[in-house]
Amino acid sequence: MNSSGSPDVAGKPPFESASPRPPPATAAEAPPRRSRRFRVDVGTIVSAVALAQSLLLVSLGYWGSQRLVSNIGTSAHRANHDRIEDKVLAFLAKAESAVGAIGSAPSLSPAGEHSERTAELLWTLLQQSPELDSVYVANESGQMLMALRYPVPAIRHIAAAKEFTTETWQYKRPFGAELDVQQRFATQRIESFRSSYDPTRRGWFEQASKRGGPIWTQPYVFAAAQELGVTYALPGERRYAEGGTKALVAAGDVSLGRLSEFVRLFSSNGYGNSALLSADSKVLARSDQPGVLHQLAPPTGVLGALHAHMVADGTAGGGDDSTFSFDFDGQRYLVQTSLIPSTGWELVSWVPEDMVLGDLRRAVLWGLLLALVFLALALFMSLKLSKLVTAPVENLSRIARRIGLLELDNLPREPSRVLEIQHLDQALDDSARSLKAFSKFVPVDVINQLVAEGHSLAPNGAARRVTVMFTDVEGFTSISESLPIDVLVGMLTEYFNLATGVFARYGGVVDKFIGDGIMVLWGAPADMKDAEYRACLAALQLHAQMNELNRQWRAKGLPEFRTRIGIHTGVVIAGVLGSNDRLSYTAFGDVINVASRIEGINKQLGTQTLVSEDTFAGLKGRLRTRRIEELVELRGRQTRMVLYELMTP
């Protein structure tokens, strides 16, 4: 049967000539030779196609393997580079954290009645921060308190005057001694002498004070240790002291010797070297040279060559990470660079390409030879095995996963001539359309979030601090009585679309629609930082957008919606609640009832937005409010509450 269903028509035998037969040959002449026509069977065609495909695949595989080898080498080098970068960043972050803890201490003072407490704090943080060689704090009067690890463990008191500076050193026991807490801080001996040291004229103090924020200094020689290093300085808030308030700067020192320990980790596995360059392209530490640098110098050797290459390409000191290769002394190197944001330093690592890729390339070549050897076997197997339909099945599985995650928009179709795959594609499409219709009635985002966080979709609940908002349209009953149903439904739909869009932008989750009112949660089902502020911003934005919508409605001769809002913050029971066969994510508790009552008080006070005292505390003065002078009694509560009206900017 042919494709149209009609029987095939028998034709002439294949390759038979249509010309008349020649006359019989006579004895005097030889019979003419019949021409042989080229014939080929299906097996030969399949073998030829498979052979061509196999050779193409082997060629592409070899080319791709070479590319993959290069990518693997680059990735391996990059992973080693990132490991060192992470260690440097973690090292600096720990140092910044320690100095930040000092700067935020309430009773921080380098002199006076709190100086002893400050000294104990500095000494404790220095013990717990092996990244730092010393930590200290100084004020604008030239008074300074410093805890040193090196050259000797000590507490250094400095008081600068016009003529000279008085320094007092309290020498402590070595770090790591098997002593109790008080003995570790015990003073062994005290020395006092005069010097010319003035902390207010040091670069770290001047730069931090001028900038008004944290800074990492350029490398310099430490006055106490006489060693190259850098300082992290952080200006603190002014503290009360004798004669008024004084500005403080907290700081910590890191020697270049400690940075050298990190960059040497790069070469510990035998693959390449790394270096740290300052913002002005001076070498801070490098792994290809032993010892600690005692003076700053420009890069030399391979490091100098690759830095010159970076300067020529315009990537030196750039803000983006870079990967490149270059030749030096007849050898090709792979290079990775990255910027340390907080300091402006540049981490550079390099490795000979053959050291990383040589063995892999030889392995690829052997793999190519083995592939050619087994090609004959692959051709034989290609005649025996049918081609599997994997791509459509994989695509359908991805579609099914998206349906499982309720990602129902713009789902692709997977047309196929295979009947079973076509049926599966149609079934998935029917499921997606049904779920898409169902998703209009349930909070899909909430369900996805609960599933992602591992919550079971069964009745459960937990205490959670949330900010609750209730909204209500003033005089909605009289409005609904004066309008046709279709107009009223259209206005409500437009209003709800506007409101839910505003709430979503500020992180609110709509719990339910209550007639013309809405209940919204901030802080459930996921914790939210600054929930009170976000809820109040959403309230202000809703009023602003409703003003524009009301203007449009007035132009059409429609009534206006004046929204009243009540906001309260507190602990509720939130979770998946309901029966075993019908659930809803919601929250309940006294906080919910109070928020609803606060919204209702707007009618009594003639206000639009009222917030509770708990919500007002979370605003921290960032929005304009007006305190309701009299205590407000809420229906159903014996105690009165202090309320605040949220004012438009």
Side-chain angles (χ1 to χ4, degrees):
M1 300 289 288
N2 60 15
S3 59
S4 62
S6 59
D8 294 329
V9 180
K12 294 181 179 181
F15 306 106
E16 183 179 30
S17 174
S19 60
R21 294 179 179 270
T26 62
E29 57 186 297
R33 298 182 60 184
R34 297 183 62 182
S35 61
R36 295 188 61 183
R37 302 188 176 223
F38 178 77
R39 299 187 181 189
V40 63
D41 56 19
V42 175
T44 303
I45 296 175
V46 171
S47 299
V49 172
L51 179 61
Q53 290 179 339
S54 300
L55 290 176
L56 178 61
L57 290 175
V58 169
S59 301
L60 291 175
Y62 180 74
W63 174 80
S65 298
Q66 291 288 4
R67 293 287 303 274
L68 181 61
V69 165
S70 298
N71 291 336
I72 290 175
T74 302
S75 298
H77 181 51
R78 179 68 189 181
N80 213 10
H81 176 90
D82 289 342
R83 178 170 60 91
I84 304 303
E85 181 182 5
D86 290 342
K87 289 183 177 296
V88 173
L89 291 173
F91 176 89
L92 297 177
K94 289 180 180 178
E96 293 173 357
S97 177
V99 175
I102 295 171
S104 61
S107 57
L108 188 67
S109 176
E113 59 178 346
H114 297 299
S115 61
E116 186 64 21
R117 189 183 304 174
T118 301
E120 292 179 358
L121 171 65
L122 296 178
W123 187 256
T124 302
L125 285 175
L126 187 63
Q127 284 184 315
Q128 297 176 355
S129 305
E131 302 82 14
L132 295 170
D133 294 290
S134 61
V135 291
Y136 42 96
V137 60
N139 61 24
E140 59 189 352
S141 298
Q143 296 169 321
M144 176 174 164
L145 188 59
M146 182 179 195
L148 300 95
R149 184 194 312 276
Y150 181 82
V152 291
I155 295 294
R156 182 185 180 193
H157 296 262
I158 296 175
K162 293 182 179 180
E163 296 78 18
F164 57 86
T165 296
T166 302
E167 291 195 26
T168 302
W169 288 60
Q170 298 176 356
Y171 295 94
K172 307 294 182 179
R173 294 180 183 272
F175 284 85
E178 297 282 335
L179 300 171
D180 62 31
V181 175
Q182 291 181 334
Q183 288 178 331
R184 277 187 233 132
F185 190 65
T187 301
Q188 301 301 300
R189 58 189 176 89
I190 300 176
E191 289 183 3
S192 295
F193 54 90
R194 294 181 177 181
S195 71
S196 59
Y197 187 93
D198 186 354
T200 62
R201 296 186 178 182
R202 304 297 289 182
W204 53 269
F205 190 98
E206 294 177 343
Q207 294 175 35
S209 299
K210 181 178 180 180
R211 182 175 179 180
I215 58 101
W216 280 96
T217 67
Q218 292 298 316
Y220 68 99
V221 177
F222 294 154
Q226 291 299 305
E227 183 176 341
L228 275 173
V230 293
T231 297
Y232 176 74
L234 175 70
E237 296 182 4
R238 301 180 70 89
R239 303 294 200 282
Y240 287 99
E242 297 178 4
T245 60
K246 294 181 180 180
L248 297 176
V249 174
D253 292 336
V254 177
S255 67
L256 294 189
R258 297 192 181 275
L259 295 177
S260 299
E261 296 172 5
F262 285 106
V263 296
R264 288 198 180 92
L265 289 175
F266 192 94
S267 58
S268 61
N269 59 4
Y271 290 99
N273 292 283
S274 65
L276 269 176
L277 303 180
S278 65
D280 56 354
S281 301
K282 296 295 191 298
V283 179
L284 302 178
R286 57 189 301 176
S287 63
D288 59 341
Q289 293 183 0
V292 179
L293 299 177
H294 294 286
Q295 61 180 359
L296 298 176
T300 57
V302 179
L303 181 59
L306 71 88
H307 183 262
H309 185 277
M310 294 168 61
V311 172
D313 287 348
T315 58
D320 297 327
D321 296 355
S322 62
T323 302
F324 63 92
S325 57
F326 81 110
D327 297 319
F328 179 73
D329 282 350
Q331 194 168 23
R332 192 162 187 81
Y333 290 85
L334 298 175
V335 182
Q336 296 281 348
T337 71
S338 59
L339 188 69
I340 308 299
S342 59
T343 61
W345 302 339
E346 194 161 24
L347 178 63
V348 182
S349 59
W350 65 96
V351 62
E353 188 179 60
D354 188 67
M355 182 181 293
V356 178
L357 305 181
D359 292 338
L360 287 174
R361 285 176 173 166
R362 286 185 285 273
V364 169
L365 184 58
W366 277 106
L368 175 63
L369 295 176
L370 289 175
L372 294 175
V373 170
F374 287 103
L375 179 59
L377 180 61
L379 291 174
F380 175 77
M381 295 299 295
S382 66
L383 295 174
K384 300 296 182 181
L385 299 176
S386 61
K387 190 177 182 180
L388 300 177
V389 187
T390 56
V393 174
E394 184 64 24
N395 291 338
L396 289 174
S397 67
R398 284 194 289 266
I399 294 172
R401 281 193 292 270
R402 288 185 59 183
I403 293 175
L405 296 174
L406 299 179
E407 298 175 0
L408 306 174
D409 294 326
N410 302 319
L411 287 176
R413 296 295 300 272
E414 187 59 38
S416 175
R417 293 184 180 276
V418 179
L419 187 61
E420 291 79 5
I421 294 178
Q422 183 66 29
H423 289 169
L424 180 58
D425 175 70
Q426 185 62 47
L428 288 176
D429 183 67
D430 293 340
S431 299
R433 285 190 283 107
S434 298
L435 283 174
K436 191 171 184 179
F438 174 72
S439 66
K440 300 295 184 180
F441 299 93
V442 295
V444 175
D445 294 339
V446 172
I447 294 176
N448 285 335
Q449 194 164 13
L450 291 173
V451 173
E453 293 178 358
H455 295 287
S456 61
L457 294 181
N460 64 80
R464 183 180 292 274
R465 182 175 175 83
V466 300
T467 295
V468 186
M469 173 191 290
F470 275 86
T471 72
D472 184 62
V473 176
E474 180 181 338
F476 182 77
T477 302
S478 59
I479 294 176
S480 61
E481 293 175 351
S482 63
L483 291 175
I485 294 178
D486 56 341
V487 175
L488 180 64
V489 171
M491 293 180 67
L492 269 179
T493 302
E494 194 171 0
Y495 167 69
F496 285 151
N497 287 337
L498 184 149
T500 54
V502 170
F503 300 150
R505 285 197 298 275
Y506 290 92
V509 175
V510 175
D511 180 271
K512 61 176 67 71
F513 295 96
I514 311 169
D516 58 299
I518 310 173
M519 173 181 167
V520 193
L521 302 177
W522 277 265
D527 293 335
M528 178 178 295
K529 183 180 180 181
D530 226 1
E532 300 91 339
Y533 183 60
R534 289 171 175 261
C536 291
L537 286 179
L540 293 175
Q541 184 65 22
L542 176 60
H543 288 315
Q545 294 196 16
M546 279 305 301
N547 290 337
E548 175 61 22
L549 182 59
N550 284 328
R551 185 188 63 80
Q552 299 175 15
W553 285 348
R554 284 196 305 269
K556 298 178 182 179
L558 297 175
E560 299 179 11
F561 280 8
R562 187 173 185 269
T563 305
R564 296 185 300 213
I565 297 175
I567 305 175
H568 184 38
T569 301
V571 177
V572 301
I573 302 300
V576 179
L577 304 174
S579 62
N580 290 331
D581 57 354
R582 183 165 183 175
L583 303 173
S584 174
Y585 185 90
T586 187
F588 67 91
D590 185 62
V591 172
I592 305 297
N593 298 330
V594 171
S596 177
R597 301 292 190 273
I598 292 174
E599 182 277 320
I601 291 296
N602 282 290
K603 182 177 181 180
Q604 174 183 335
L605 299 179
T607 55
Q608 275 194 285
T609 304
L610 290 176
V611 302
S612 67
E613 192 168 26
D614 292 332
T615 303
F616 168 80
L619 295 180
K620 300 176 183 177
R622 288 171 289 181
L623 296 175
R624 289 183 57 219
T625 57
R626 181 180 67 87
R627 178 187 174 100
I628 305 300
E629 293 300 327
E630 58 179 349
L631 295 178
V632 179
E633 180 179 353
L634 299 183
R635 181 168 56 87
R637 294 178 61 89
Q638 297 180 353
T639 59
R640 295 174 176 265
M641 293 188 65
V642 176
L643 299 181
Y644 294 82
E645 181 183 9
L646 185 63
M647 311 296 291
T648 57

